Amino acid sequence: VTDQAFVTLATSDVYGLGALVLGHSLRHHRTSRQLVILITPQVSSSIRTVLDNVFDEVIEVNGLDSGDTAHLALMKRPDLGITFTKLQCWTLIQYSKCVFLDADTLVLCNVDELFDREEFSAAPDPGWPDCFNTGVFVFRPSLQTYGRLLQFAGVHGSFDGGDQGLLNSFFHNWAVKDIDKHLPFLYNLNTSSTYTYLPAFRQFGHEAKIVHFLGAVKPWSYKYNPQSRNAYQELDSPTGHHDPQFVNLWWKVYSSCVVQNHICSDSLNLVNSVSQLSIEIKTELSDPEDRKRWEEGRMDYMGRDSFENIKKKLDRFLEQ
C-alpha cells in the first residue's frame, strides 16, 4: 500500500536511534505500509544515511517550538517544546492516511489494522484518560488541517506547552463524541503503567501491540550488558520505572538489527558513538545539568558532544 504510511519524527541523533529501532520493529512485523520519518536539521548526515536504509522517505523539516516555557516548566520537561514539529506530519499530502508513532515507541506485532481507523483516533493518556496521548494516532494529511492547527496554536497555545495539549484542545470532542476513535490502551501501552495497575498488566499485558517509553528516561538512557542481554540503570541515574522486559526488548532490536544490519555502513561510526557515549561515557558528565541534557536528548552537537569529540573519547576508551 503506497498511499498510506507510518510516520515518526527525530529532532536529534538520539531520537534518530529510537526511530531506527521503531522502523526495524515495523519491518520485522511485515507492515505493508510505507515508512516515513521527519527529521530536523539537528540530525546529522551520518544518522540520515542509516535512516535512508530503513525508511522509504526521510524528509527534513524545520523545527517548530511552542515557546511556552511556563507550561513546560510545570511538567518539568523543557524538551517538549520541539514536539510542535510533529504538526508538520499533516503536510504529507502524498499519503491519504497515516499513523504517527513517536520515536520512543516499539511495535510488538503487525498493527496495520490501525489504518482501518479514522482521524482522529488515539489511545487515552495514562495521566488523564479523558485526554488522548499523542505518541500514537491516526490522521489524514491535509494542508487545510495543518493551517488550522497553526492558527489555533497562535491563538490558543497549548495547555501543556507541547503538541499533546494543543491537539487535545483542537480535537476537543475526542473523549465524548465517537468511541470508535478511542484506540485500546494496548496500542499505546505506557511501559511504566505496570507500577500503577499491576493486576491489569498481568491480565492484559501479553496482548500489548505498541509500547511507549513515556517520560524523560528512555531505553537509551540505560546501560546494556551484551553478555547477559540485560539493560540496567546506574545508581545515580534518574529512576525510570519502565518494565524491564520492554527495555531489554528495545535493546535486543537495537543490537541485533540496527548494529548488525548497518555494521558495514560508515554511518555506524556515529551510531555507535552516540550509543556508546550514552551507555559508557555518560559517567564523565559530572555536572547534573549536563547529564540531564544528555538523557533528554539535548546534546551540544556543535561543541563538546560533536562527532569529533565523541570519536576522540571512544578512541581513548577502546585503547584502554
Side-chain angles (χ1 to χ4, degrees), residues 119-261:
E119 183 178 84
F120 184 89
S121 293
D125 186 81
W128 193 264
D130 278 347
C131 288
F132 52 79
N133 182 275
T134 55
V136 178
F137 60 84
V138 183
F139 70 101
R140 286 190 176 273
S142 163
L143 294 181
Q144 181 181 15
T145 303
Y146 178 61
R148 290 171 56 211
L149 280 165
L150 291 184
Q151 182 180 28
F152 186 92
V155 175
H156 302 284
S158 166
F159 64 75
D160 66 359
D163 65 275
Q164 184 159 305
L166 171 66
L167 290 174
N168 268 278
S169 296
F170 187 81
F171 296 101
H172 61 91
N173 58 8
W174 172 87
V176 296
K177 186 175 181 181
D178 187 353
I179 192 63
D180 287 338
K181 294 182 179 179
H182 286 225
L183 297 180
F185 190 56
L186 296 171
Y187 284 100
N188 192 352
L189 177 66
N190 175 9
T191 56
S192 62
S193 292
T194 58
Y195 294 89
T196 58
Y197 197 6
L198 185 57
F201 177 78
R202 288 172 174 166
Q203 179 71 16
F204 305 111
H206 66 282
E207 300 175 4
K209 299 176 183 294
I210 301 172
V211 294
H212 189 183
F213 298 95
L214 283 170
V217 177
K218 304 299 182 185
W220 52 83
S221 304
Y222 288 68
K223 296 185 72 172
Y224 183 68
N225 185 325
Q227 281 72 43
S228 65
R229 297 182 180 180
N230 284 318
Y232 61 96
Q233 289 185 282
E234 297 173 307
L235 294 177
D236 60 344
S237 296
T239 303
H241 295 295
H242 298 302
D243 188 274
Q245 66 172 309
F246 296 132
V247 177
N248 287 334
L249 180 58
W250 188 96
W251 274 98
K252 178 181 178 181
V253 176
Y254 176 77
S255 59
S256 64
C257 296
V258 176
V259 174
Q260 289 188 19
N261 286 0

Side-chain angles (χ1 to χ4, degrees), residues 11-226:
T11 56
S12 68
D13 281 1
V14 173
Y15 277 87
L17 293 180
L20 286 169
V21 172
L22 170 61
H24 273 290
S25 70
L26 284 162
R27 296 286 187 202
H28 175 75
H29 294 295
R30 301 183 183 279
T31 179
S32 62
R33 269 57 175 193
Q34 299 290 290
L35 301 189
V36 178
I37 182 168
L38 305 178
I39 61 171
T40 59
Q42 289 72 30
V43 177
S44 69
S45 58
S46 298
I47 291 292
R48 296 183 196 199
T49 301
V50 185
L51 291 169
D52 275 325
N53 294 330
V54 177
F55 289 84
D56 297 296
E57 281 199 276
V58 178
I59 302 171
E60 182 173 325
V61 296
N62 292 321
L64 297 178
D65 197 318
S66 72
D68 195 345
T69 55
H71 286 126
L72 290 172
L74 288 175
M75 299 177 66
K76 300 181 180 180
R77 293 293 303 279
D79 54 307
L80 290 181
I82 194 65
T83 58
F84 260 46
T85 308
K86 186 185 297 187
L87 302 180
Q88 294 182 71
C89 66
W90 268 273
T91 67
L92 300 173
I93 56 175
Q94 64 269 44
Y95 300 103
S96 62
K97 188 185 293 186
C98 296
V99 174
F100 189 93
L101 300 171
D102 272 350
D104 58 352
T105 60
L106 181 67
V107 171
L108 306 182
C109 61
N110 186 289
V111 291
D112 287 357
E113 69 273 11
L114 284 172
F115 290 90
D116 295 333
R117 303 277 183 152
E118 284 301 325
E119 183 178 84
F120 184 89
S121 293
D125 186 81
W128 193 264
D130 278 347
C131 288
F132 52 79
N133 182 275
T134 55
V136 178
F137 60 84
V138 183
F139 70 101
R140 286 190 176 273
S142 163
L143 294 181
Q144 181 181 15
T145 303
Y146 178 61
R148 290 171 56 211
L149 280 165
L150 291 184
Q151 182 180 28
F152 186 92
V155 175
H156 302 284
S158 166
F159 64 75
D160 66 359
D163 65 275
Q164 184 159 305
L166 171 66
L167 290 174
N168 268 278
S169 296
F170 187 81
F171 296 101
H172 61 91
N173 58 8
W174 172 87
V176 296
K177 186 175 181 181
D178 187 353
I179 192 63
D180 287 338
K181 294 182 179 179
H182 286 225
L183 297 180
F185 190 56
L186 296 171
Y187 284 100
N188 192 352
L189 177 66
N190 175 9
T191 56
S192 62
S193 292
T194 58
Y195 294 89
T196 58
Y197 197 6
L198 185 57
F201 177 78
R202 288 172 174 166
Q203 179 71 16
F204 305 111
H206 66 282
E207 300 175 4
K209 299 176 183 294
I210 301 172
V211 294
H212 189 183
F213 298 95
L214 283 170
V217 177
K218 304 299 182 185
W220 52 83
S221 304
Y222 288 68
K223 296 185 72 172
Y224 183 68
N225 185 325

